[in-house]
Structures are given as structure tokens and as C-alpha cells.
Amino acid sequence: MGKRSIRENKNIYFESREAAGLTRAQASELIGTISESRLEKMETGKTAIYPEDVVDMALAYKKPELCNYYCTHECRIGQENVPEVKLSSLSEIVLGMLSALNSLDKQKERLIDITADGEISEDELPDFVNIQEQLNQIDLTVESLKIWMANTIAEGKIDKNKLKEAAEKRKRAR
């Protein structure tokens, strides 16, 4: 294996490759779509990184969270529409989800009152904003769960094919 870089300002792609224990040459070969020289330029900020590059690196480095990072930090659309997800344990994700769902459950009658007439009046706005925050928290926990699952699959702790089979079986049962 090659030497680890002593460079201080490493970007997340550089750090992810090193964490995977890969040299640029090995990573380039594993990825198959990015040359070693282009990889060096992406890792040092000398060239743009495209979404397909990130998807390929995420697969090669077994770091699905790279896609979320790209969307929330480098993509103009994602910066506006995709929640930034911090890696968490399954229990933290589930507890966060349950907390957000419980809060929303307590507010569902108010949501019905606010939206029944199809308009949100000024006096309803603070309550609506509060409900919207709860929905955003649910969205964030769902995204966290998706990344947790993708990491678990990437680590080989869950068989992707068996998961697909279970999902298909569930669809047929409906």
C-alpha cells in the first residue's frame, strides 16, 4: 500500500479514499470511470466533481453518505431540497423518528384545522411552521435510515439480494 498523505486540507473524497485503504491508482482501477490524474485533481479541488463521479466513488469506497454530502454541499438543487444527514446508529435514528412522529401525532388535529379551508391565515402560520419543522425532522430521519441501510449493505451486514427479494415478496402480498 502507498504512503498516507500528510496534506492537511483534505476534502471528503480524499479522506474517504484513504479510509478505504486505497491509493489513487487502486481507487482509479476499482472505480473504472475516473483516471488517477483526474482523481488527484478532484481530491485537490483543481477540477469539478460530477454526480456520477460521486456515485462511483461512493460504491468503490463503500461510503454511500458521499452522495448526501455532494447533494447538500456542492449541488445547487440539493442545497435547497436535500437534508444533510449525519451518520447515526439505528437506535438513534429510530428514537428520533418516533419522537418526531409523536410530536406530529399530537398536532394532527391542528394541521386539519389549518388546512381545511385550503389557505393558511396569518394567525395559523406559527402553528403551521411548527408542523412543517416536525415533517422536516421526519424527512431527516427517513434519509438517515436510508443511508444507514446503504452503509449496512455496503459493509456486507445485510445481503442486498435478499433484501430485494423480501421487498418484492412484500409487494406481491399487498
Side-chain angles (χ1 to χ4, degrees):
M1 188 167 98
K3 293 189 231 175
R4 284 185 74 87
S5 171
I6 56 170
R7 179 186 162 108
E8 286 189 27
N9 294 325
K10 300 176 185 178
N11 68 20
I12 192 168
Y13 309 108
F14 195 133
E15 291 174 348
S16 295
R17 176 185 54 77
E18 283 194 332
L22 300 169
T23 65
R24 283 195 184 109
Q26 292 167 327
S28 175
E29 186 176 325
L30 184 61
I31 293 168
T33 58
I34 302 173
S35 70
E36 184 178 348
S37 63
R38 183 153 188 280
L39 188 58
E40 185 269 332
K41 289 175 184 171
M42 291 188 307
E43 290 180 350
T44 56
K46 295 176 184 169
T47 193
I49 298 175
Y50 299 107
E52 50 276 2
D53 298 330
V54 178
V55 170
D56 293 341
M57 285 188 280
L59 288 170
Y61 305 158
K62 297 182 180 180
K63 299 272 291 185
E65 62 271 19
L66 285 177
C67 296
N68 180 264
Y69 176 87
Y70 177 84
C71 290
T72 58
H73 289 85
E74 299 181 33
C75 171
R76 285 180 58 197
I77 296 170
Q79 288 170 350
E80 294 289 322
N81 298 293
V82 176
E84 182 176 2
V85 175
K86 301 292 183 207
L87 293 180
S88 302
S89 68
L90 182 58
S91 59
E92 290 172 319
I93 295 167
V94 170
L95 289 173
M97 171 85 63
L98 291 173
S99 174
L101 287 170
N102 284 339
S103 294
L104 187 62
D105 190 49
K106 293 173 187 172
Q107 299 175 31
K108 69 181 176 187
E109 295 299 324
R110 181 65 179 136
L111 180 60
I112 292 168
D113 292 341
I114 291 171
T115 59
D117 62 0
E119 295 179 15
I120 300 172
S121 64
E122 248 184 80
D123 65 312
E124 295 170 330
L125 205 52
D127 289 340
F128 187 76
V129 167
N130 188 29
I131 292 167
Q132 190 175 24
E133 287 173 4
Q134 294 303 317
L135 292 170
N136 288 340
Q137 185 60 38
I138 291 168
D139 183 36
L140 185 59
T141 58
V142 168
E143 292 304 316
S144 294
L145 186 58
K146 287 178 183 178
I147 289 178
W148 179 88
M149 190 64 156
N151 274 326
T152 304
I153 291 167
E155 293 167 359
K157 294 178 181 175
I158 293 179
D159 185 300
K160 188 175 186 174
N161 293 326
K162 289 182 181 179
L163 182 65
K164 282 183 180 180
E165 288 173 16
E168 288 171 11
K169 186 176 180 181
R170 173 129 169 82
K171 281 182 187 177
R172 287 191 301 267
R174 282 191 231 164

